Amino acid sequence: MSSSAPIAGHPDLTEMRMRYERASETPTAQVADGFTVLGGLFVALSPWITGFAATTPALALNNLVVGLAATVLGISFAAAYHRTHGIAWTSPVLGVWTILAVFVMSGSVMTTSTVLCNVIGGAVLVLAGVGTMAPAYATRAST
């Protein structure tokens, strides 16, 4: 039987929440969250905007799912960073997958539009994801 106190009663809990709340209010975090949302929407909609949805349906579905996931992540980072900062690493991973997907997915037709959309969209997600992670690491380093 453990005699440890529950986390809800931890004396530093309020300070930890306030630290992450301050981190989410920095301009860097706000811009990164916005770019995560916009990058996710771009990746999700790019097959239909550029017209490769009909020629590469597997890649179009992949982009839709990955883009919507990144969009939801960006919205959750903006709404509740203190609760979601622990999964901020997933945004750069989604970005790297978006870049690689056009080259490794079976049945992908590599055209200029598919490569450019995936590389640009993936790069935005990687950079925005790193920007989302930065405030949490900055607050950890300053303590």
Side-chain angles (χ1 to χ4, degrees):
M1 192 169 200
S2 175
S3 64
S4 64
I7 189 70
H10 195 279
D12 294 333
L13 184 62
T14 304
E15 174 58 33
M16 289 188 310
R17 284 187 179 158
M18 287 175 44
R19 184 173 5 136
Y20 285 116
E21 191 64 33
R22 284 190 304 270
S24 70
E25 293 172 355
T26 64
T28 301
Q30 292 172 350
V31 168
D33 296 343
F35 273 114
T36 301
V37 171
L38 292 175
L41 288 174
F42 174 75
V43 170
L45 299 175
S46 64
W48 293 275
I49 293 171
T50 60
F52 69 82
T55 59
T56 314
L59 185 62
L61 180 61
N62 175 75
N63 281 16
L64 178 64
V65 171
V66 169
L68 290 177
T71 301
V72 168
L73 281 172
I75 291 169
S76 67
F77 296 149
Y81 186 74
H82 65 282
R83 293 186 184 267
T84 58
H85 71 277
I87 59 169
W89 61 269
T90 58
S91 186
V93 171
L94 289 174
V96 169
W97 169 249
T98 301
I99 294 169
L100 294 176
V102 72
F103 302 107
V104 300
M105 285 191 67
S106 174
S108 291
V109 178
M110 288 202 328
T111 63
T112 303
S113 65
T114 59
V115 172
L116 283 178
C117 284
N118 278 43
V119 169
I120 292 170
V124 168
L125 290 178
V126 168
L127 294 173
V130 169
T132 299
M133 292 169 33
Y137 288 111
T139 59
R140 287 181 189 163
S142 67
T143 57

